[in-house]
Amino acid sequence: MKIIILGAGQVGASVAEGLVSEENDITVVDQDPARLAQLQDRLDLRTVVGDAATPTVLRSAGAEDADMVIAVTQSDQANLVACKLGQSVFNIPTRIARLRSRDFLEDESLLASDNFAVDFALCPEQVITDYIRRLIEFPRALQVLNFARGRVCLVAVRAYEGGLLVGKPIKAMREHLPPEIDARIAAIFRDNQPVFPEGDTVVKAGDEVFLLAAAENIHPVLNQLRRQTARVERIMIAGGGNIGLRLAKSLEERYEVKLIEGRRPRAELLANELNDTLVLYGDATDEDLLEQENIAEMDLFLAMTNDDEDNIMAGSLAKRLGCKRVVALVNRRAYAEMIEGGPIDIGISPAQVSIGTLLAYVRQGDVAEVHSLRRGAAEALEIVAHGDRNTSKVVGRRIDEVQWPKGVTVAALVRNFEQPIVVGQTDDWTAITRYGEVVIAHHDTVIEPGDHVIIFCTRKKLVKKVEKLFQVGFHFV
């Protein structure tokens, strides 16, 4: 596929890295020659220096025979103009735009083909907000991801000394769960290296364990396997930019929220925009300010400024002063890997968090969901199975019959989305109903047509091999 990426910032570079390894013909456009040169040194792609919202530059990038344009510059206006030019001048079939403004995102008619002609709108700030909200619901999780329309949940946790599974084989997990609940350890990372999870694999303290279960079961499973943790009630946010504002708005009704902003005009604007959030004008790295605002009583500190160093400093200070848990936004992947597990509990790379929804759309076909794991080193994907035993390498076969690439784990299947499943009761008369049957994968589980198969790939390069396995043909026997 011939793809033009407009913008070589964090999101654009991550998208290019995610797609260039899949044998796509990639061209990246940006106004910064140094940034493009750095990208070209790392990846096998073409670059063009210029304004992405002009026909001349788009033509130089190969727009006349491109299959897709992905406009992820810092400017909403430039992204929208590029998509419109891609449709009206160059007839590019698929057009994707990164948008920050609520005005464009909330009025879908503006993105229709007779207006700005955007097929898919990506808002990284909203994706990150949703991601952090899920982390808040699981106080000790490193990562929380949903699959199959929310029917399945994947949670990454750190195995701790004295935990029920530490020092025991994975198959012992069954002993700690009620008979009606099933779960699966989809992957283990030990010292940053993948450990293939088999029944006899022993979990060690410090392992990063990816645990998967039906959404209604994930809390009971974690409660069985980890020490109980108090729920989050008090949250402090450092940084009142787009992400900080979105977070505060989404959290203030359920939690006690304080937000620190270092620019007075912005702080005043935030105070007017937010209803139940206490907005503080000041520096989040000011020890006196944090102590004055009772940082030691906070359950969670979210460092969400635009500056990596400020986030690291503010987060480290908050932890030293007694805050229970610290999450920091860190754009540089090397920083995120270096700081996580120290005073900062979780380092979030915005580009890596938001890229999954975009990759799922770009790959299209039968890939319903893609999640980047461990800052892009691994991926979890949800892929739909089609065909039958004669036309597919996976359908109609037991999981242990399929020749999966080394490093690939089939974790679960979801089938029959039209079928209501009772998953609990709110009271004696009211049932909680979900749609779709969750099947935790075991070696003898048979993949059926239409199943949404959730697969864990310990290396990103394995994704293409998995997709090929699911292709339907007429020569399989």
Side-chain angles (χ1 to χ4, degrees):
M1 190 185 299
K2 187 170 183 180
I3 302 173
I4 300 174
I5 299 173
L6 308 179
Q10 292 289 338
V11 175
S14 295
V15 172
E17 189 174 355
L19 295 176
V20 77
S21 60
E22 298 172 14
E23 300 173 3
N24 294 300
D25 180 2
I26 306 291
T27 301
V28 181
V29 178
D30 198 277
Q31 291 180 305
D32 186 342
R35 185 181 286 173
L36 290 175
Q38 189 178 34
L39 198 59
Q40 200 165 28
D41 286 342
R42 293 194 298 113
L43 304 172
D44 180 19
L45 47 73
R46 180 171 168 258
T47 61
V48 173
V49 179
D51 183 350
T54 59
T56 305
V57 172
L58 288 173
R59 188 173 284 109
S60 299
E64 290 173 326
D65 60 348
D67 300 299
M68 180 181 297
V69 61
I70 303 174
V72 288
T73 74
Q74 296 286 341
S75 167
D76 284 5
Q77 291 78 7
N79 295 337
L80 290 168
V81 169
C83 285
K84 186 60 180 176
L85 289 172
Q87 178 219 33
S88 59
V89 177
F90 300 106
N91 198 29
I92 299 175
T94 304
R95 302 161 301 276
I96 296 171
R98 171 189 182 177
L99 297 174
R100 291 180 169 182
S101 172
R102 290 179 180 270
D103 292 338
F104 296 120
L105 292 165
E106 291 173 357
D107 188 350
E108 294 183 4
S109 65
L110 292 173
L111 306 181
S113 58
D114 55 345
N115 285 318
F116 287 113
V118 176
D119 296 307
F120 178 76
L122 172 71
C123 179
E125 291 81 4
Q126 187 58 50
V127 174
I128 293 165
T129 298
D130 295 340
Y131 182 89
I132 292 175
R133 280 185 63 95
R134 291 196 295 270
L135 284 176
I136 292 171
E137 293 173 15
F138 296 85
R140 290 296 168 190
L142 301 172
Q143 198 165 10
V144 182
L145 305 169
N146 290 328
F147 294 90
R149 307 173 196 172
R151 285 296 288 121
V152 173
C153 188
L154 178 71
V155 178
V157 294
R158 185 81 61 190
Y160 66 94
E161 194 69 54
L164 289 175
L165 281 184
V166 171
K168 299 184 179 72
I170 287 174
K171 60 187 178 185
M173 182 172 70
R174 179 71 267 168
E175 302 168 9
H176 302 291
L177 299 177
E180 69 277 9
I181 290 181
D182 200 1
R184 176 73 188 268
I185 291 180
I188 296 173
F189 283 83
R190 181 175 300 153
D191 299 325
N192 291 321
Q193 296 300 314
V195 176
F196 193 75
E198 298 179 307
D200 294 323
T201 303
V202 175
V203 178
K204 296 184 178 181
D207 283 355
E208 191 173 332
V209 180
F210 286 82
L211 190 69
L212 180 140
E216 65 272 12
N217 293 334
I218 194 68
H219 276 292
V221 169
L222 287 173
N223 288 341
Q224 290 291 329
L225 301 180
R226 289 190 58 82
R227 59 169 74 97
Q228 294 286 340
T229 53
R231 67 183 297 270
V232 172
E233 294 181 353
R234 294 172 293 276
I235 300 172
M236 184 178 287
I237 302 171
N242 288 329
I243 294 175
L245 174 58
R246 284 178 184 270
L247 270 172
K249 274 192 172 181
S250 68
L251 297 174
E252 62 181 359
E253 288 185 8
R254 289 184 56 190
Y255 305 94
E256 180 186 319
V257 180
K258 294 181 180 181
L259 189 155
I260 301 174
E261 170 56 45
R263 298 163 293 174
R264 183 179 290 277
R266 181 68 179 178
E268 292 172 352
L269 183 148
L270 293 170
N272 291 326
E273 284 261 344
L274 297 165
N275 298 318
D276 298 314
T277 298
L278 175 61
V279 178
L280 305 165
Y281 167 59
D283 185 350
T285 61
D286 182 343
E287 184 172 344
D288 292 336
L289 175 61
L290 293 183
E291 287 186 326
Q292 182 181 325
E293 295 302 326
N294 302 314
I295 185 65
E297 297 179 6
M298 292 293 155
D299 300 307
L300 181 64
F301 183 86
L302 301 171
M304 301 285 125
T305 76
N306 292 322
D307 187 284
D308 285 0
E309 287 79 6
D310 279 355
N311 288 339
I312 293 169
M313 291 294 294
S316 300
L317 180 60
K319 194 60 170 285
R320 182 171 66 81
L321 294 176
C323 183
K324 296 180 181 67
R325 196 169 188 230
V326 172
V327 176
L329 212 60
V330 184
N331 285 291
R332 297 185 190 179
R333 188 186 306 176
Y335 278 12
E337 293 172 353
M338 180 178 64
I339 64 172
E340 193 168 275
I344 292 171
D345 298 286
I346 300 177
I348 295 178
S349 167
Q352 291 299 328
V353 169
S354 58
I355 194 176
T357 52
L358 191 150
L359 288 179
Y361 187 86
V362 170
R363 288 166 178 164
Q364 289 183 339
D366 297 319
V367 178
E369 196 76 59
V370 178
H371 288 299
S372 180
L373 308 171
R374 309 194 83 253
R375 287 171 291 280
E379 282 196 6
L381 66 155
E382 172 192 339
I383 189 164
V384 185
H386 292 297
D388 54 33
R389 192 174 177 89
N390 295 322
T391 59
S392 169
K393 292 180 179 179
V394 298
V395 173
R397 290 171 168 80
R398 296 174 8 149
I399 286 174
D400 60 5
E401 287 184 271
V402 180
Q403 298 297 310
W404 303 104
K406 186 178 180 181
V408 169
T409 303
V410 179
L413 303 89
V414 183
R415 56 178 56 135
N416 303 325
F417 277 105
E418 70 286 349
Q419 177 182 341
I421 305 289
V422 176
V423 299
Q425 299 281 141
T426 56
D427 53 45
D428 291 340
W429 298 278
T430 309
I432 301 172
T433 303
R434 299 288 183 267
Y435 288 84
E437 176 191 359
V438 178
V439 179
I440 299 299
H442 299 286
H443 68 93
D444 57 350
T445 304
V446 176
I447 299 174
E448 298 178 2
D451 281 355
H452 286 234
V453 186
I454 298 162
I455 295 172
F456 195 105
C457 300
T458 55
R459 298 186 308 281
K460 189 164 55 177
K461 291 182 178 179
L462 295 170
V463 171
K464 204 66 180 175
K465 294 180 180 179
V466 171
E467 289 177 339
K468 286 181 180 178
L469 273 177
F470 278 79
Q471 290 175 355
V472 176
F474 301 99
H475 52 285
F476 307 132
V477 293

